[in-house]
């Protein structure tokens, strides 16, 4: 009788496993992201895939597309079928609603922290020994300094760079906008090259050996030290920079079409989990979970951080500084 019972139980377990396998699916997601997130998502994607496999039995493969944030947003608007976007600035994701209604208008309220699972800031990289003695923004507008930064027309990171410099200039010139414009004009006159994205700018500075100073994301700066050597480069943290808040969103129109809404949503939500936040911290982004943030805080140098709110939010900043004939066009056109 006991053997019959065990046989029945074993058969039931096998049947359940067979049923689960029969219903398990192979799923593909496309994450369209900005330049410096390659290493972050390379580590995060298999961790999420394992989590999802254990939870559902489904096998999910996440494909990545990287480039300048503004350029990536335009690619999605032009038909690149992203299930999720993880871009550099909220304005670029807003365009997916404004121009094609690919996402809901309230997308930024659907996940914690305005849909930003990590933050960062803008710092400098110089060559070992800091031969020009670069310490702050005022040092990189001197006429004998050559800088490398991406193009604000195509790169979200470049727009953060621009606003950080503008904010510094306002603080040191009694909020005089004319003085800030002159300051940032000097900065872009020193630009040796404007690459389309942050990783291209890194390549120009590190591998092509262009320029004296690279203005870049904090996490990108640490990647340079880890991959190319702290014996070749140094990070300079300015006295003031900007709190960068890269947001994420499910491209609901595409995910619905692909049947990936559930997994795409969980893919972004898992970034806020303890495991996701640990990976974020290990990749030199600033975690938003207070406990994990405290664990990784010692790797970041203290500095004053301004916020995008100081510029009236991203829509106002975009229209004022980066739209056609905006301040950047006025500055860069005058400088070339």
């Amino acid at each position: 009788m006991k053997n019959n019972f065990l046989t029945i139980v074993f058969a039931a377990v096998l049947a359940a496993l067979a049923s689960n396998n029969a219903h398990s699916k192979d799923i593909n997601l496309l994450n369209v992201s900005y330049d410096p997130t390659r290493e972050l998502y390379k580590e995060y994607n298999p961790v999420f895939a394992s989590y999802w496999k254990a939870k559902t039995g489904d096998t999910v493969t996440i494909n990545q597309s990287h480039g300048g944030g503004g350029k990536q947003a335009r690619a999605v608007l032009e038909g690149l079928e992203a299930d999720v976007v993880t871009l550099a600035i909220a304005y670029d994701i807003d365009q997916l609603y404004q121009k094609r209604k690919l996402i809901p208008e309230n997308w930024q309220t659907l996940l914690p922290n305005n849909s930003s699972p990590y933050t960062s800031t803008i710092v400098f990289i110089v060559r070992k020994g800091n031969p020009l003695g670069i310490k702050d923004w005022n040092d990189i507008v001197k006429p004998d300094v050559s800088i490398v930064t991406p193009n604000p027309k195509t790169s979200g990171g470049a727009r953060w760079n621009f606003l950080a410099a503008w904010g510094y200039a306002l603080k040191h010139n009694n909020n005089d906008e004319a003085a800030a414009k002159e300051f940032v004009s000097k900065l872009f006159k020193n630009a040796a090259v404007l690459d389309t994205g942050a990783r291209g700018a890194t390549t120009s500075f590190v591998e092509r050996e262009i320029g004296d100073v690279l203005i870049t994301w904090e996490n990108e700066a640490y990647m340079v030290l880890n991959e190319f050597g702290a014996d070749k480069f140094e990070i300079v943290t300015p006295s003031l920079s900007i709190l960068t808040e890269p947001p994420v969103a499910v491209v609901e129109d595409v995910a619905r079409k692909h049947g990936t809404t559930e997994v795409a949503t969980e893919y972004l939500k898992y970034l806020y989990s303890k495991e996701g936040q640990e990976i974020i911290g290990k990749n030199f982004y600033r975690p938003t979970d207070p406990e994990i943030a405290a664990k990784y805080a010692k790797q970041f140098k203290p500095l004053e951080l301004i916020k995008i709110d100081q510029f009236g939010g991203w829509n106002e900043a975009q229209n004022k500084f980066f739209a056609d004939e905006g301040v950047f066009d006025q500055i860069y056109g005058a400088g070339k």
Side-chain angles (χ1 to χ4, degrees), residues 89-103:
I89 64 172
Y91 175 84
D92 287 337
I93 296 183
D94 273 333
Q95 296 308 292
L96 305 185
Y97 169 76
Q98 297 288 346
K99 295 186 175 178
R100 282 194 56 200
K101 303 295 187 289
L102 295 174
I103 60 175

Side-chain angles (χ1 to χ4, degrees), residues 170-303:
L170 285 179
K171 179 179 179 180
H172 290 271
N173 290 280
N174 297 314
N175 290 316
D176 184 338
E177 293 232 336
K181 186 174 182 180
E182 181 182 359
F183 183 91
V184 178
S185 179
K186 289 178 181 177
L187 187 151
F188 277 93
K189 283 180 181 177
N190 285 351
V193 60
L194 294 184
D195 289 284
T196 59
R199 187 54 57 88
T202 298
T203 299
S204 291
F205 181 77
V206 172
E207 298 183 25
R208 297 171 62 199
E209 299 185 347
I210 295 172
D212 304 306
V213 183
L214 173 65
I215 309 174
T216 192
W217 298 88
E218 183 177 55
N219 57 283
E220 182 80 349
Y222 280 102
M223 184 281 295
V224 169
L225 262 60
N226 287 342
E227 293 200 10
F228 296 95
D231 59 330
K232 297 178 182 177
F233 302 99
E234 296 179 16
I235 297 172
V236 174
T237 301
S239 63
L240 177 148
S241 194
I242 193 164
L243 179 68
T244 64
E245 300 172 285
V248 301
V250 176
V251 186
E252 292 192 8
D253 189 69
V254 175
R256 194 179 305 113
K257 172 183 171 184
H258 291 171
T260 57
T261 301
E262 181 185 11
V263 64
T265 300
E266 290 301 314
Y267 175 74
L268 297 183
K269 283 185 176 180
Y270 201 67
L271 286 165
Y272 295 87
S273 70
K274 296 295 184 183
E275 191 168 25
Q277 291 284 296
E278 283 279 354
I279 294 169
I280 283 163
K282 284 168 59 181
N283 282 274
F284 298 99
Y285 287 84
R286 297 179 177 227
T288 54
D289 179 284
E291 180 185 346
I292 308 299
K295 178 179 176 180
Y296 287 94
K298 61 183 179 294
Q299 69 188 7
F300 303 120
K301 292 186 178 179
L303 74 165

Side-chain angles (χ1 to χ4, degrees), residues 69-133:
K71 188 176 179 182
Q72 291 291 81
R74 284 194 289 276
V76 175
L77 287 169
E78 291 167 3
L80 181 60
E81 294 197 343
D83 299 277
V84 298
V85 287
T86 56
L87 296 180
I89 64 172
Y91 175 84
D92 287 337
I93 296 183
D94 273 333
Q95 296 308 292
L96 305 185
Y97 169 76
Q98 297 288 346
K99 295 186 175 178
R100 282 194 56 200
K101 303 295 187 289
L102 295 174
I103 60 175
E105 186 176 12
N106 69 335
W107 66 271
Q108 215 165 0
T109 69
L110 302 180
L111 290 167
N113 304 314
N114 293 320
S115 290
S116 294
Y118 41 81
T119 65
S120 189
T121 190
I122 301 302
V123 300
F124 311 147
I125 305 178
V126 298
R127 305 193 190 280
K128 188 65 178 178
N130 194 3
L132 296 182

Side-chain angles (χ1 to χ4, degrees), residues 42-91:
K42 183 179 180 181
E43 185 172 350
Y44 174 74
N45 288 344
V47 171
F48 173 77
S50 295
Y51 159 77
W52 193 248
K53 180 78 170 179
K55 181 177 180 178
T56 68
D58 294 342
T59 300
V60 59
T61 301
I62 302 103
N63 300 303
Q64 291 293 131
S65 171
H66 295 275
K71 188 176 179 182
Q72 291 291 81
R74 284 194 289 276
V76 175
L77 287 169
E78 291 167 3
L80 181 60
E81 294 197 343
D83 299 277
V84 298
V85 287
T86 56
L87 296 180
I89 64 172
Y91 175 84

